Every structure is written in C-alpha cells, then in structure tokens.
Amino acid sequence: MGYGGSRKDAGLAVGQSGDEGFDGIIKEDRLGLDVVYIQAKRWTNTVGRPVVQAFAGSLEGQRARKGVLITTSDFAREVRDYVKQIEKKIVLLNGVELARLMIDHGVGVTEVATYTVKKLDLDYFGDED
C-alpha cells in the first residue's frame, strides 16, 4: 500500500509472546519516522469495546499515535463510536474491508480471468462529404 519503501522493509511481524499486544509494525514512510501498530483478530464473534480499549492501552505503552485493528469478523457499533472519541487514531478493518483490500492490492488472491470492455470509436465513422 506504499508504506515504508520496499515490501521487505515496510513492516515487521511481531505476533508472539512478549509482543505487548501487537501482531505487526509498519513503517509509515521510508525513513521510519512514524510507525503504525497492528493487531489482528481471527474471530467469528463480534469484537467488543474491551478489546479495542486494550489495544489503545498498548499503543499508549509504546507512545504510539496510530494503530490498525483487523478482524475477520466485525466490530460492535459501540467500538466504532469509541474510536471516534479517543485521541489515538485507530483504524478498524472488518472481514469485508480486509477482503476488499486484499483484492485491490493482489494479496492472497489469484487472478482467474481478465475482461476487456470496448466502446464505439465515433471518429472511425467520420463525416463523408
């Protein structure tokens, strides 16, 4: 998506014990002047406010201002309201939005068919005197 220069240098997967609540870190620019912290939830249940509050707390622990919380399910309505009220910038991506981004950026998908759409070239049928 254009973060951090090359794909290799753009981010780091950190999701393991001691990761302080983060699954990944993305450099926002080539120099790494600012970073975006990521947390992913592979859930079927709706993600509630306590999860997002914990993520916001984890961001505070890193003195970070930006985060992305991704789920394969969806977020409760109060979660979307909550992230609008806090100082931290947290972007919420549900399963539908995640799938759309994967398709748009060619991640984890395979092209099956390509179609060409044509229109009439009216100049071809120019005026005959």
Side-chain angles (χ1 to χ4, degrees):
M1 293 177 60
Y3 292 99
S6 72
R7 183 173 253 184
K8 179 184 175 212
D9 295 332
L12 174 66
V14 294
Q16 54 192 355
S17 68
D19 63 13
E20 300 186 31
F22 303 113
D23 296 311
I25 302 169
I26 297 174
K27 293 180 187 176
E28 194 168 19
D29 56 61
R30 290 178 185 261
L31 298 176
L33 295 174
D34 206 358
V35 295
V36 178
Y37 289 86
I38 299 172
Q39 186 176 78
K41 299 290 185 193
R42 189 177 194 178
W43 287 8
T44 53
N45 294 332
T46 302
V47 176
R49 185 171 167 161
V51 171
V52 181
Q53 287 176 307
F55 181 57
S58 295
L59 290 173
E60 186 63 37
Q62 295 296 316
R63 300 179 67 197
R65 298 174 294 157
K66 301 172 190 173
V68 179
L69 184 56
I70 303 167
T71 183
T72 51
S73 62
D74 205 356
F75 297 96
R77 178 177 301 238
E78 66 267 12
V79 169
R80 295 194 184 274
D81 293 338
Y82 172 72
V83 297
K84 291 177 186 174
Q85 298 171 3
I86 62 174
E87 184 179 351
K88 305 272 182 234
K89 177 66 177 169
I90 297 177
V91 174
L92 304 172
L93 290 177
N94 66 17
V96 172
E97 295 162 328
L98 176 61
R100 189 171 297 124
L101 282 171
M102 290 174 69
I103 291 167
D104 290 349
H105 295 278
V107 175
V109 296
T110 302
E111 187 173 308
V112 176
T114 302
Y115 299 94
T116 302
V117 178
K118 297 183 179 186
K119 69 175 188 166
L120 284 177
D121 180 1
L122 296 179
D123 291 337
Y124 178 81
F125 301 102
D127 293 334
E128 292 185 21
D129 294 333

